[in-house]
């Protein structure tokens, strides 16, 4: 059976969107690779492959053969990528300054002293370092692309500047060719050099702006400590994080970052967990409590036992999830990718057609105009604006979400989130705190200590939130867990187990009804009274006899009512699904003003309800936190998990609210809407720029107004187009994710569906 793994690797030496497409196509063709996606904005390759057929080293070798490079070191990959990006930025800055220092004298000579003696020779000498030293990267990369029968933006720059330079060189060395024909031999050294200088400026600004789009992930990476204080017997030793193993004991002092995930074994303290939960107040930690890597020990010294190191820590998983999300592609990106794949060959064809039409219409007298127009077409065309339009906005949007404890798994989720019109919510742990407590124990038969002991033992095997409430209650009342056998979890209904020689059941009213049991009239009255307060009821019995009724209350989250109000302001319908009884569900729905709800539902029922809404044309988001929600989460158009929930729910979900605060849901919706709006703006600008710029560069205005675009202006326009797209995306960092003012009151026509 094939074992497909997914990895995320930094890509080096990419200069434009066509480069990203080239790397992507190269990797996709490799045997054993199932899919590959390259994000130019984040410079990362997301690849799925069968480890039995191909290794990361082989993937890297294929990428290197096509003129690029991969960082496959998973431990220090981010640091190496940041260092490589820093070196690239410094090299670009050096080349940009150098290119302008030599280009400006050429421009002055060409514009003001065009007839000075030996002027052409001086410009030739000054242009050599610009083209072949400061601008060497365009020619080197262009040659690599040619060897692999591919083309990118470097190809266009190298081709256009080579044509301008070689034409100028010919006219400098052999001017008589044109003089004998009665034409003046023009040179265009200034055009060739200023094109390179402007493109370098554009790349420099683009690199800086792209670095800002990934500031969120850099801050997350910055939270990771590099060393830890390992406890060996009676002494402590500073060691690199990579040297730690699960089970090691680590000492943490006040003010230090916790280096690994672990469990406190000795000492106590208060820990600032705001990077995970967003809560500003430090949380008390004592022996047995869990702590997370990257959080800060406020006061007190303690020793923890390591449970997760390196890539297995929660912080590392968050970073990996954000990186994968930022490297993913939204559906709208496919249009831009298809165009970018054929963009450069198409532009070269348009440039050749421009040159041919000028000569066909004007003859050799217009040779200079034909050449300038062809060069301008090659220079002004910009695949980078198309390639950056979507990923830069997504990177900023996903990064802003991560800063606000909203983890978005992929670009599709961010794009689809703003299209939802219905939110379906689980009750326990979503609308409520998820920390239920037993408020009453009603004996419906003999209240024997043995019953409490076996219930405690059985519920310790269950993952349901209500189970922990029962265990906590019984432990506080000194119950002693006994041996239970044949434990069976009845999803959505309860549990069944054997103790001694008898079978017992514990769960919902439906499970009790299946056994043929029923509460006495007096007990039923007490149950109804409890349900009117929104309490959950758990029934315990054997065969057809009810032995006890457990009343459990789960406090409503303080942020639930304002969060629901904000969703209504956004014109989003709200529905609630719960396994609780109808009376409990009705009481909570009435209190929250939720018009649509279903009670006593099983996981299949939740799935069917989502399908029903989708058949009605609704775009549905499902919010849940448990195993019983995972089926509905997988079915929904957008799945949202609460951060304190089960790993299964978070694995299935597209979006995770890390601090389980429902107020993050309307924030996520607004963030999605603003991100998608920016993507549309960017794509519109990228398409319009090329649709208008290329015809003007080709000379379409010359017959009407006598206007011919200078290649230098074309180079400036090309540099501006990419930078403007990235700058527009960066606006999202300072945009608010608040909701509009309340337009209508809370609906009060509550009904069960």
């Amino acid at each position: 059976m094939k074992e497909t793994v997914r990895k995320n690797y930094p890509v080096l030496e990419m200069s434009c969107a066509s480069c990203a497409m080239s790397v992507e196509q190269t990797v996709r063709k490799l045997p054993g690779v199932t899919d590959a996606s390259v994000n130019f904005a984040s410079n990362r390759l997301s690849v799925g492959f069968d480890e039995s057929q191909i290794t990361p080293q082989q993937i890297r070798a294929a990428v290197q053969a096509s003129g690029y490079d991969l960082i496959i070191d998973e431990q220090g990959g981010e640091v190496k990528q940041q260092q490589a990006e820093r070196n690239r930025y410094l090299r670009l800055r050096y080349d940009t300054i150098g290119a302008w220092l030599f280009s400006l004298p050429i421009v002055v000579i060409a514009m003001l002293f065009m007839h000075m003696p030996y002027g052409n020779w001086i410009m030739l000498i000054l242009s050599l370092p610009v083209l072949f030293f400061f601008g060497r990267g365009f020619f080197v990369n262009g040659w690599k692309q040619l060897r692999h029968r591919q083309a990118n933006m470097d190809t266009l720059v190298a081709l256009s500047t080579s044509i301008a330079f070689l034409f100028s060189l010919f006219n400098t060395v052999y001017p008589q060719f044109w003089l004998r024909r009665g034409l003046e031999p023009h040179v265009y050294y200034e055009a060739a050099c200023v094109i390179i200088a402007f493109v370098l400026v554009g790349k420099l600004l683009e690199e800086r702006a792209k670095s800002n789009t990934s500031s969120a992930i850099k801050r997350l990476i910055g939270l990771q400590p590099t060393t830890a204080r390992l406890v060996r017997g009676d002494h402590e030793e500073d060691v690199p994080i990579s040297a730690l193993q699960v089970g090691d004991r680590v000492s943490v002092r006040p003010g230090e970052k916790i280096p690994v995930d672990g469990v406190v074994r000795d000492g106590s303290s208060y820990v600032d967990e705001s990077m995970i939960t967003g809560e500003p107040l430090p949380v008390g930690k004592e022996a047995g409590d869990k702590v997370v890597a990257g959080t800060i020990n406020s006061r007190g010294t303690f020793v923890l036992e390591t449970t997760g190191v390196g890539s297995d820590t929660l912080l590392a998983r968050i970073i990996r999830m954000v990186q994968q999300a930022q490297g993913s592609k939204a559906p709208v990106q496919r249009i831009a990718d298809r165009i970018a794949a054929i963009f450069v060959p198409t532009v070269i064809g348009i440039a050749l057609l421009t040159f041919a039409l000028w000569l066909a219409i004007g003859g050799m007298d217009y040779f200079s105009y034909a050449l300038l127009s062809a060069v301008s077409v090659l220079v002004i065309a910009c695949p980078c604006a198309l390639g950056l339009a979507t990923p830069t906005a997504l990177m900023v949007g996903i990064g802003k979400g991560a800063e606000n404890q909203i983890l978005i798994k992929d670009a599709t989720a961010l794009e689809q989130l703003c299209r939802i019109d219905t939110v379906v919510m689980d009750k326990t742990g979503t609308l409520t705190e998820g920390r239920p407590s037993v408020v009453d124990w009603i004996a419906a038969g003999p209240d024997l200590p043995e019953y409490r002991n076996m219930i405690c033992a059985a519920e310790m095997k269950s993952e349901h939130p209500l189970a922990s409430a029962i265990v906590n209650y019984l432990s506080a009342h000194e119950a002693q867990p006994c041996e239970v056998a044949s434990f069976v979890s009845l999803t959505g209904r309860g549990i069944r187990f054997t103790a001694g020689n008898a079978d017992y059941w514990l769960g919902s009213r439906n499970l009790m009804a299946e056994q043929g049991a029923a509460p006495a009239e007096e007990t039923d009255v007490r149950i109804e009274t409890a349900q009117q307060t929104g309490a959950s009821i758990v029934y315990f019995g054997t065969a057809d006899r009810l032995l006890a009724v457990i009343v459990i209350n789960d406090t409503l989250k303080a942020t639930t009512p304002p969060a629901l109000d904000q969703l209504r302001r956004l014109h989003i319908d709200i529905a609630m699904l719960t396994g609780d009884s109808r009376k409990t569900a009705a009481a909570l729905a009435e209190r929250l003003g939720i018009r649509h709800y279903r009670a006593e539902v099983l996981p299949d029922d939740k799935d069917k309800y989502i399908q029903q809404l989708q058949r009605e044309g609704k775009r549905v988001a499902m919010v849940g936190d448990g195993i019983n929600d995972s089926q509905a989460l997988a079915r929904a158009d957008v799945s949202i998990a609460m951060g304190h929930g089960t790993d299964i729910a978070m694995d299935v979900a597209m979006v995770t609210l890390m601090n389980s605060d429902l107020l993050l849901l309307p924030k996520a919706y607004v963030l999605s809407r603003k991100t998608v709006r920016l993507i549309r703006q960017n794509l519109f600008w990228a398409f319009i720029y090329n649709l208008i710029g290329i015809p003007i560069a080709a000379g379409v205005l010359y017959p009407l107004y006598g206007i011919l675009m200078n290649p230098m202006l074309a180079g400036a326009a090309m540099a501006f187009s990419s930078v403007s797209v990235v700058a527009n995306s960066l606006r999202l960092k300072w945009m608010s994710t608040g909701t509009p003012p309340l337009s209508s009151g809370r609906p009060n026509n509550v009904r069960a569906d």
Side-chain angles (χ1 to χ4, degrees):
M1 185 175 178
K2 291 204 299 184
E3 285 291 330
T4 300
V5 296
R6 175 160 293 281
K7 298 289 184 181
N8 209 275
Y9 299 125
V11 187
L12 305 180
E13 308 302 329
M14 291 195 302
S15 60
C16 72
S18 296
C19 299
M21 287 300 299
S22 176
V23 174
E24 189 173 298
Q25 290 169 1
T26 298
V27 176
R28 277 184 175 171
K29 292 175 183 175
L30 297 174
V33 172
T34 55
D35 66 282
S37 173
V38 176
N39 186 313
F40 176 49
S42 61
N43 291 327
R44 298 189 78 86
L45 163 70
S46 176
V47 57
F49 60 95
D50 181 0
E51 286 185 301
S52 65
Q53 294 189 43
I54 192 168
T55 64
Q57 289 76 14
Q58 290 171 316
I59 296 173
R60 183 189 183 194
V63 171
Q64 286 176 325
S66 63
Y68 308 97
D69 200 1
L70 278 186
I71 297 175
I72 57 175
D73 180 6
E74 293 187 50
Q75 290 296 329
E78 289 84 4
V79 176
K80 288 183 180 178
Q81 183 186 17
Q82 288 183 18
Q83 186 60 48
E85 288 174 353
R86 177 65 180 165
N87 292 340
R88 174 177 167 78
Y89 177 80
L90 293 174
R91 188 171 70 245
L92 270 174
R93 189 173 67 177
Y94 174 79
D95 288 341
T96 303
I97 293 170
W100 277 109
L101 285 175
F102 281 88
S103 296
L104 288 175
I106 298 174
V107 173
V108 171
I109 294 171
M111 297 299 175
L112 303 177
F113 305 101
M114 59 187 75
H115 297 299
M116 69 179 288
Y118 305 107
N120 288 357
W121 289 99
I122 294 172
M123 288 191 288
L124 169 61
I125 292 169
L126 289 173
S127 66
L128 290 174
V130 177
L131 268 74
F132 303 114
F133 182 72
F134 301 116
R136 66 195 178 282
F138 298 112
F139 298 94
V140 171
N141 293 334
W143 173 247
K144 286 179 180 177
Q145 295 299 310
L146 182 63
R147 284 173 52 205
H148 292 90
R149 298 181 181 179
Q150 294 172 340
N152 63 2
M153 194 194 74
D154 293 328
T155 307
L156 296 180
V157 175
L159 193 58
S160 59
T161 52
S162 297
I163 292 170
F165 176 78
L166 291 174
F167 180 70
S168 302
L169 178 64
F170 176 81
N171 288 354
T172 301
V173 176
Y174 189 40
Q176 294 81 6
F177 179 85
W178 299 104
L179 293 172
R180 284 201 297 264
R181 290 163 173 78
L183 299 172
E184 186 176 349
H186 294 286
V187 295
Y188 300 104
Y189 294 116
E190 80 284 0
C193 293
V194 172
I195 286 169
I196 284 179
F198 266 128
V199 174
L200 285 172
V201 167
K203 282 182 172 290
L204 185 69
L205 295 175
E206 182 185 305
E207 201 71 24
R208 188 167 183 173
K210 278 169 61 181
S211 176
N212 286 334
T213 64
S214 59
S215 59
I217 197 70
K218 288 177 181 175
R219 278 195 288 274
L220 285 173
I221 292 170
L223 293 172
Q224 293 179 303
T226 55
T227 61
R229 194 173 293 103
L230 179 64
V231 178
R232 295 184 188 274
D234 295 331
H235 71 282
E236 298 174 356
E237 177 186 347
D238 286 339
V239 298
I241 294 293
S242 56
L244 292 178
Q245 297 180 346
V246 174
D248 284 343
R249 294 170 75 88
V250 174
S251 172
V252 185
R253 295 173 185 169
E256 293 182 341
K257 288 180 181 176
I258 296 173
V260 290
D261 288 359
V263 177
V264 176
R265 292 304 180 203
D266 298 314
S268 62
S269 183
Y270 284 85
V271 175
D272 179 0
E273 296 183 332
S274 57
M275 52 80 67
I276 296 292
T277 65
E279 295 296 331
L281 296 177
V283 180
K285 298 290 181 181
E286 297 179 347
D289 290 337
K290 293 180 180 180
V291 290
V292 176
T295 55
I296 299 172
N297 180 24
S298 297
R299 54 186 176 204
T301 301
F302 61 87
V303 174
L304 64 87
E305 181 180 324
T306 302
T307 58
V309 296
S311 59
D312 293 327
T313 65
L314 176 62
L315 178 59
R317 291 199 299 273
I318 291 172
I319 291 171
R320 196 158 55 243
M321 183 185 290
V322 174
Q323 285 178 333
Q324 288 173 351
Q326 289 184 332
S328 63
K329 290 187 178 182
V332 71
Q333 175 77 11
R334 294 173 194 145
I335 303 169
D337 283 349
R338 282 197 292 268
I339 294 171
I342 60 169
F343 188 87
V344 174
T346 302
V347 168
I348 293 173
I350 293 172
L352 291 172
L353 181 62
T354 299
F355 183 77
L357 285 175
W358 271 96
L359 290 183
I361 296 170
M364 286 300 292
D365 290 347
Y366 283 85
F367 185 88
S368 295
Y369 288 175
L371 190 70
L372 281 179
S373 298
V375 169
S376 294
V377 168
L378 290 171
V379 172
I380 202 169
C382 186
C384 294
L386 277 173
L388 290 168
T390 301
T392 51
L394 287 170
M395 283 183 69
V396 177
I398 290 168
K400 188 177 178 73
E403 290 174 348
N404 287 278
Q405 284 76 49
I406 303 168
L407 285 186
I408 300 166
K409 186 173 284 187
D410 58 32
T412 302
L414 187 62
E415 187 178 336
Q416 288 183 353
L417 188 56
C418 67
R419 298 194 176 112
I420 63 168
D421 51 33
T422 304
V423 172
V424 178
M425 298 185 184
D426 175 52
K427 180 181 81 74
T428 304
T430 301
L431 297 171
T432 62
E433 290 286 357
R435 293 192 291 271
S437 57
V438 175
V439 295
D440 197 6
W441 190 287
I442 305 171
D447 192 11
L448 301 178
E450 291 82 3
Y451 292 157
R452 298 194 176 207
N453 294 344
M454 67 177 67
I455 291 173
C456 186
E459 288 290 50
M460 288 175 73
K461 298 176 180 289
S462 174
E463 290 188 351
H464 197 281
L466 299 185
S468 60
I470 295 171
V471 171
N472 292 337
Y473 174 84
L474 292 174
S475 299
H477 286 75
E478 300 181 350
Q480 300 296 321
C482 61
E483 286 294 325
V484 296
S486 305
F487 176 88
V488 178
S489 176
L490 307 170
T491 306
R493 291 180 294 158
I495 59 174
R496 186 179 287 122
F497 60 92
T498 302
N501 295 319
D503 294 330
Y504 296 90
W505 47 264
L506 182 76
S508 67
R509 193 178 188 96
N510 285 343
L511 180 60
M512 176 184 67
E514 287 175 15
Q515 308 306 314
E521 185 176 344
E522 181 184 342
T523 304
D524 211 22
V525 171
R526 292 179 66 181
I527 291 170
E528 282 200 33
T529 303
Q531 287 177 329
Q532 287 170 4
T533 67
S536 300
I537 309 298
V538 176
Y539 301 88
F540 168 67
T542 179
D544 60 354
R545 285 192 302 134
L546 178 65
L547 298 176
V549 177
I550 308 166
V551 181
I552 301 174
N553 212 342
D554 190 2
T555 308
L556 192 68
K557 289 179 182 175
T559 57
T560 294
L564 299 187
D565 281 341
Q566 288 187 23
L567 289 172
R568 292 187 188 101
R569 295 175 210 173
L570 296 166
H571 308 290
I572 296 174
D573 290 333
I574 300 166
M576 179 183 74
L577 302 179
T578 178
D580 274 336
S581 68
R582 291 183 179 276
K583 291 178 181 178
T584 300
L588 185 62
E590 179 70 35
R591 182 177 173 187
L592 293 174
I594 296 176
R595 292 186 295 175
H596 309 283
Y597 68 89
R598 283 192 177 180
E600 301 176 356
V601 293
L602 300 175
D604 279 346
D605 298 324
K606 293 182 179 182
D607 186 13
K608 289 172 184 175
Y609 185 69
I610 299 289
Q611 290 184 59
Q612 176 190 322
L613 291 174
Q614 289 172 332
R615 283 194 297 270
E616 292 171 4
K618 304 281 189 181
R619 294 189 181 96
V620 185
M622 173 68 193
V623 188
D625 72 331
I627 294 174
N628 61 334
D629 299 317
S630 57
Q631 194 173 338
L633 286 168
R635 176 72 60 186
D637 298 297
V638 176
S639 47
I640 302 166
M642 310 306 278
H644 68 227
T646 63
D647 289 340
I648 292 177
M650 286 190 279
D651 286 344
V652 171
M654 298 176 178
V655 180
T656 300
L657 308 181
M658 286 303 294
N659 62 6
S660 300
D661 183 354
L662 265 184
L663 279 172
L664 293 180
L665 184 52
K667 275 189 177 182
Y669 177 88
V670 173
L671 177 65
S672 168
R673 192 166 64 183
K674 291 187 174 181
T675 304
V676 169
R677 185 184 302 149
L678 275 180
I679 290 172
R680 289 171 181 162
Q681 290 172 0
N682 288 347
L683 286 173
F684 175 79
W685 163 249
F687 279 115
I688 288 297
Y689 164 79
N690 283 294
L691 287 173
I692 295 176
I694 291 175
I696 292 176
V700 74
L701 297 180
Y702 188 80
L704 299 174
Y705 306 106
I707 297 174
L708 192 65
M709 181 176 283
N710 189 303
M712 291 188 292
L713 183 60
M718 194 261 272
F720 172 74
S721 67
S722 297
V723 175
S724 62
V725 163
V726 180
N728 189 47
S729 297
L730 286 173
R731 290 193 305 119
L732 185 62
K733 294 179 73 173
W734 298 281
M735 286 183 182
S736 168
T737 53
T739 54
L742 188 59
S743 57
S744 61
R746 181 190 299 174
N748 54 18
N749 51 332
V750 179
R751 66 182 178 85
D753 288 332

